[in-house]
Amino acid sequence: MKNCTTYKRLVAKTVVISLLTSLAVAFLYGIYIKKRAVDDLARVDARKTSRLAFEALYSAMEKGWSKKELDSIIVRLNEVEPQMKINAYRSPIVAELFGDHGNDKQMRENDPMVAKAMRGEDILTGDDEIRYLYPIVVKKECVACHTNAKIGDINGVIDVRFPVANLKISLTTMINSFIVFFIAFTIIIFAVLYYKLNELLVQPIKQFIMMIQDIITNNDMAKRISLKTKIMEVKNIENYFNKMLDSIQDYYEKLQELSDRDYLTGLYNRRKFEEFLTYEVKRSVRHRHKFTILMIDLDNFKYINDTYGHASGDLVLKEVTKIFSSNLRNVDILARIGGDEFAVILPETPYENGHAVVEKLRASLEATPISLMYDQVSLTASFGIAEYPEQGENIESLLAGSDLAMYKAKRAGKNTIARADQSDQEIASEIQKKGEFLRRAIDEDRVEPFVQPIYNVKSGEIYGYEVLARIRDGQRYMAAGQFIEVAESLGFASKIDQIILTKGLSAREERGMWNKRFFFNLSTKSLFSGEYVDVIKEHYAKNPNGEENGVTIEILEREAIHNVNGLMDIIEEMRQVGISFALDDFGSGFSSFVYLKYFDTDFLKIDGEFVKNIAVNEKDRIFVKHINQIAQEFEKKTIAEYVEDAETLDILKEIGVDYAQGFHYGRPHQL
């Protein structure tokens, strides 16, 4: 930017140059006009004056005046205009007859202009003083007196001198001249400005637009703008636009990486994996190769998350990535396609070779312990294999086949390898049937709310009810454990939540159970949909006691970890309208106590796995005791699950747990 100038400076520079040029041209043109006018006027005036002088002298000569009288005429002519000088010089022809007068001979011999005029040329010369020499040509009437002359000879010269200052220039001439000049000059100035602005502004901007169009058309973020300009502002546009392109390119590359890669492990994601799989199918069709794809699901990964926390779970996923990567070729494609699911493409690898690779992966994973805090864990995985083209000739069938094979390996006892065959289609058909069953149950209004009572441990009175989902199938009812997993995977869970909430609140209204608290299990996905606040507010508005309370939403801690900040906002918003919250299955995960810091809940539901054995397992009793103690310090009420006998209830009373539910109090039933 050393040779650049600002646009303001360019305009100022152009104006100054134009002004100076205008003054210079006007000055030069004025001199030219002056000289041209002076020359023209001098010639006209000199000729007129010379002619008048000649006519006066000729008239006197016709009357026979003497030399003295002729001289007096010249004197009188000079007196008319004091600053003008008129002289008459005789030629040799006149001098021969009448003799020279004064310095005639000297002027003829020493003044070259007089000598030249004696040869018949009229002469105009001078800058500060105009001198015009007018030759007197012999005419027919002159021959009578000048007998030695013939027509056309020169009898003498009239010499007229006058100062330039006495000349008057025509106003019309001056005005017309300057009008023409300024019109022409203005056209030239605008032409120059147009050329310079076009060169310095228009062309760079046009070039800038064309480059932007090229970048947009080709989606080429690597290109940079380079403008030919000396204007600093335009150059700054170039520089800042290029910096913006740098930022966009960096963001685009990061976005591209995020769109292709899993943020945690750095492996390809499902979208990119399917893109590679599509390419591999086309390549194998062209070259008639076989290849193998693997679906891998880590066994019991939920236990690691629940026991050690999700941060440790993330660490395990990274370590598993290293183990798998170290046992694959560079040409093999490894991807993370789900929470604890991986997929692999083995190009140009038939089933037999692919099986050997999978066995290597399985054995390596099993034999490599992973350090977590002060413990070491050994992982296993279930592997499903599908071969192209035996298990499918397109990506849909290959993915379905490998998924079925992996599910088959899970059902076979985990830590094993399976290949999908015809019988496995029954598994897929079973899942599809369950999905169709759920859809029909929702459409036919067969989703029903059941309730299980929650008792006050000290008073022995019913405090409230937990509302549970059931599906009516003929004469029997299916518990949530029989369909909830399929419902979540197929996207029916939120709809079921909505039905149970609406029907449960309606039953509370119809039976006038305003003094009993109702607990609902809603998934966090349902909470984020934001549809339930208005439903509960309308329910509260129907309370004849005018109280806005009585509804508690239970949150599973394993679901809460996925969006802590968002869930905190939702809890705060819903608490403002009288909705309370409970942390369900508290203590099942290593990070349970951390949630007390973030979630402002009213209840802790102690995981039933601890509660049901407190009568025979001292460690479980210690867990329950300390959970209850911490809850009291945080001013939260505790609810013990899985209370199945009187002995367990007595221990809970001794510990000081507030509420309890379980088969000892009552099984779930219809309202």
Side-chain angles (χ1 to χ4, degrees), residues 1 61 90 172 285 426 450 593:
M1 296 177 58
M61 286 187 290
R90 294 178 177 180
T172 301
V285 169
E426 298 174 4
F450 272 48
F593 295 100

Side-chain angles (χ1 to χ4, degrees), residues 342-484:
F342 296 82
V344 181
I345 300 175
L346 302 175
E348 300 181 25
T349 305
Y351 171 75
E352 293 76 13
N353 296 340
H355 190 278
V357 173
V358 178
E359 176 57 33
K360 184 180 177 182
L361 293 175
R362 189 201 65 77
S364 179
L365 178 63
E366 184 181 26
T368 307
I370 298 174
S371 297
L372 290 179
M373 306 181 76
Y374 300 105
D375 198 1
Q376 284 191 328
V377 297
S378 294
L379 279 179
T380 61
S382 300
F383 297 83
I385 300 180
E387 182 189 32
Y388 171 88
E390 277 69 13
Q391 267 74 51
E393 297 184 353
N394 53 57
I395 65 168
E396 290 80 11
S397 56
L398 286 170
L399 289 171
S402 57
D403 272 334
L404 282 173
M406 182 184 69
Y407 191 70
K408 181 179 178 181
K410 285 281 187 187
R411 295 184 66 178
K414 304 178 181 180
N415 191 26
T416 188
I417 304 168
R419 182 182 187 185
D421 54 31
Q422 187 62 36
S423 64
D424 297 317
Q425 297 300 325
E426 298 174 4
I427 300 173
S429 177
E430 181 182 345
I431 296 174
Q432 185 176 2
K433 286 180 180 178
K434 285 185 177 180
E436 182 63 22
F437 171 79
L438 286 174
R439 186 187 64 77
R440 288 202 310 270
I442 293 172
D443 292 343
E444 295 170 5
D445 195 25
R446 291 190 284 110
V447 179
E448 301 288 348
F450 272 48
V451 294
Q452 185 177 31
I454 299 174
Y455 278 77
N456 185 307
V457 172
K458 292 181 181 179
S459 67
E461 297 178 354
I462 294 179
Y463 174 70
Y465 296 91
E466 179 178 359
V467 185
L468 305 170
R470 296 289 186 268
I471 291 180
R472 178 167 41 84
D473 184 18
Q475 298 299 317
R476 68 186 184 95
Y477 284 91
M478 294 177 59
Q482 295 176 270
F483 61 80
I484 196 63

Side-chain angles (χ1 to χ4, degrees), residues 583-600:
L583 270 177
D584 196 11
D585 292 343
F586 190 84
S588 62
F590 181 79
S591 55
S592 296
F593 295 100
V594 177
Y595 296 130
L596 294 176
K597 175 180 178 181
Y598 295 108
F599 299 130
D600 188 12

Side-chain angles (χ1 to χ4, degrees), residues 493-503 522 526 531-532 535:
S494 293
K495 183 62 177 178
I496 292 174
D497 284 347
Q498 183 180 11
I499 294 172
I500 295 301
L501 178 67
T502 303
K503 288 188 174 182
L522 301 182
S526 297
E531 299 174 357
Y532 305 122
V535 174

Side-chain angles (χ1 to χ4, degrees), residues 58 85 113 148 150 173 213 239 321 333 383 420 436-437 443 445 455 493 511 523 562:
Y58 183 75
K85 300 295 181 183
M113 293 181 67
N148 60 339
K150 58 182 181 296
T173 302
Q213 289 175 339
N239 293 335
T321 299
I333 298 169
F383 297 83
E436 182 63 22
F437 171 79
D443 292 343
D445 195 25
Y455 278 77
R511 289 163 176 75
S523 68
H562 298 296

Side-chain angles (χ1 to χ4, degrees), residues 219-221 247-263 266-273 275-276:
N219 197 24
D220 186 1
M221 295 299 170
S247 299
I248 293 175
Q249 184 181 11
D250 183 58
Y251 176 77
Y252 178 79
E253 289 173 353
K254 290 180 180 177
L255 192 62
Q256 188 69 30
E257 184 177 352
L258 288 174
S259 68
D260 294 342
R261 299 272 183 177
D262 169 53
Y263 75 96
L267 298 177
Y268 292 115
N269 57 22
R270 176 181 283 275
R271 186 193 65 80
K272 195 64 177 178
F273 177 80
E275 186 179 314
F276 279 123

